[in-house]
Amino acid sequence: MEHLDPPARPTKRLETRTIEVVPDEERHGTPRSQFTLWFGANMQITAIVNGSLAVVFGADPLWAVIGLLAGNLLGGAVMALHSAQGPRLGLPQMISSRAQFGVLGAVLPLCLVIVMYLGFAATGTVLAGQAVDGILHTGTPWVGVVVFGVLTTVVALLGYRHIHVLGRAATVLGIIGFLYLAVRLIATQDVATLFGTKPFDGATFLLAISLGAGWQLTYGPYVADYSRYLPRTTSARTTFHCTLWGSVLGSQWSMTLGVVVAALPAATGQGFLDNQVGYLGDLSGGGVIALLIYLVIVVGKLTVNCLNAYGGFMSALTTVSAFTRERQVSQRARITYIVAFITVSLLVALLASDDFLTNFKNFVLTILMVFTPWSAINLVDYYLVSRERVDIPALYDPSGRYGRWNVIALGCYLAGVAAQIPFLAQTLYTGPVTKALGGADISWIIGLLFTGAAYYALTRHRSNAPEHMLDASEAISDHQGEEKHTSPS
């Protein structure tokens, strides 16, 4: 299929690349951009809320911080392994998962990915809308939500390069703003006395680990979208570490702040539980400083919301292209997908429940249930089974090497989801194993280990990978000399 747009160049116009491979001549940047993007995307208020949940649901602040750190490191390592695929493949993350699930089979996790992005975009927009309203003083929350939605649309339309610029701005502003809030906390509260007030509790400690891991793992389906423009020769190890430490340091800083404010005495801390944005404004001292803190909140949320919108439209486009066999779409179609996604997320945000904290905790843990098996299959196949060898043109061809459906991958995926059910701790359902563990949710661990082991055992001797990585030009000559591959379905 011919390109519908001329090659993208590093100018100020809208990005033109979508689900196709980024050509070598358009690759640019260094892995340091991954650090600032993910650090800035995690220095934001939703991460503060996520950290506070560990204390809200019973953990001692000391063990909450340790558990969150352990979860961030474990989940961050998995997420960063996905990021390291970007420079090698030059593809959006979910397109590459067709190598495991088949061109049509990948649609199943894709649909769930889109729901995840909508959920995070909507819940983040609620908080960011409050911050926008705090700056504009409209007294009408929905106005802030809509203004924030417009800002998200503009940056998402501009695309990859501008999202990275926003990430750098969020990093600088986040460090300044969150450091100031930390100093204010230490100056106005006896923070040291908050830690070690409760004995160690295994269930709440595991909950803290799950909250940290879940936060990181949910980036997995789109993290490579933001490393795919790096030069092909970029070190995978360096990309891994820049992504890992940017994401872990940013999220841990934010979550630790959430732990502290949630642990404050009820007379002080209740304000945060009732009004997260307003509480941080008051903590800053009010006045002009509060407006600046609201600006920090908006920029941080804008960064991650653009990631959600960008990843959401890519996932929707990947889903549709599985049936249309498109490899590239027009700029008009790209704009339509982005605007449609953000419009739906705005509607969800405007209709969101007031019981934000509980709903958010349940949402994060539920999302873990469906994404850890996908992550396990993608990583085991790419690094251990296929050994980083992918037939890139076949990812767009349902009749090609990877076929329409990969029954083994889909079976392992569904089995991985089912295996987690006895270990769930949700409002509507608590598994029997979870009850025996005192309420600790370890379903994500089961999802990763069980699914990864099952997939490896069933596929290690029947890999469908080419002898080496195939790009478009290599695939033509390679396929001419080969017999047609049998579909894995």
Side-chain angles (χ1 to χ4, degrees), residues 35-59:
F35 180 91
T36 54
L37 176 65
W38 294 105
F39 188 93
N42 285 287
M43 291 288 282
Q44 43 109 348
I45 190 168
T46 312
I48 297 176
V49 173
N50 193 65
S52 73
L53 295 177
V55 172
V56 170
F57 293 101

Side-chain angles (χ1 to χ4, degrees), residues 19 92-94 110 113-114 116-118 156 163 219 221-223 225-226 228 304-319 338 341:
I19 59 172
Q93 186 72 69
M94 294 308 291
L110 267 169
V113 164
I114 295 170
M116 178 189 74
Y117 292 150
L118 283 172
I163 292 174
Y219 288 131
Y222 66 27
V223 61
D225 296 6
Y226 307 99
R228 76 189 198 280
V304 75
N305 228 49
C306 287
L307 301 185
N308 291 327
Y310 189 89
F313 105 80
M314 290 275 241
S315 295
L317 180 56
T318 301
T319 299
I338 292 174
F341 177 88

Side-chain angles (χ1 to χ4, degrees), residues 125 129 141-151 346 350:
T125 297
W142 70 265
V143 173
V145 169
V146 172
V147 170
F148 183 75
V150 172
L151 292 174
L346 279 177
L350 292 170

Side-chain angles (χ1 to χ4, degrees), residues 27 37 74 126 130 154 156 166 170 174 212 227 235 263 288 356 430 443 452 485:
R27 305 289 191 95
L37 176 65
L74 291 171
V126 171
Q130 295 173 13
V154 171
L166 183 61
S227 60
S235 165
V288 176
F356 181 82
T430 299
S443 57
H485 287 273

Side-chain angles (χ1 to χ4, degrees), residues 364-424:
V364 170
L365 295 179
T366 300
I367 286 298
L368 267 178
M369 177 184 177
V370 298
F371 287 110
T372 50
W374 170 86
S375 192
I377 290 171
N378 178 268
L379 294 178
V380 167
D381 182 81
Y382 181 78
Y383 289 106
L384 300 180
V385 178
S386 297
R387 298 186 182 275
E388 305 182 38
R389 299 167 299 167
V390 179
D391 183 344
I392 292 177
L395 298 174
Y396 301 88
D397 182 6
S399 301
R401 181 188 300 273
Y402 301 116
R404 289 171 171 78
W405 313 90
N406 187 319
V407 174
I408 292 177
L410 289 168
C412 289
Y413 175 75
L414 294 175
V417 172
Q420 297 174 76
I421 294 176
F423 301 87
L424 285 178

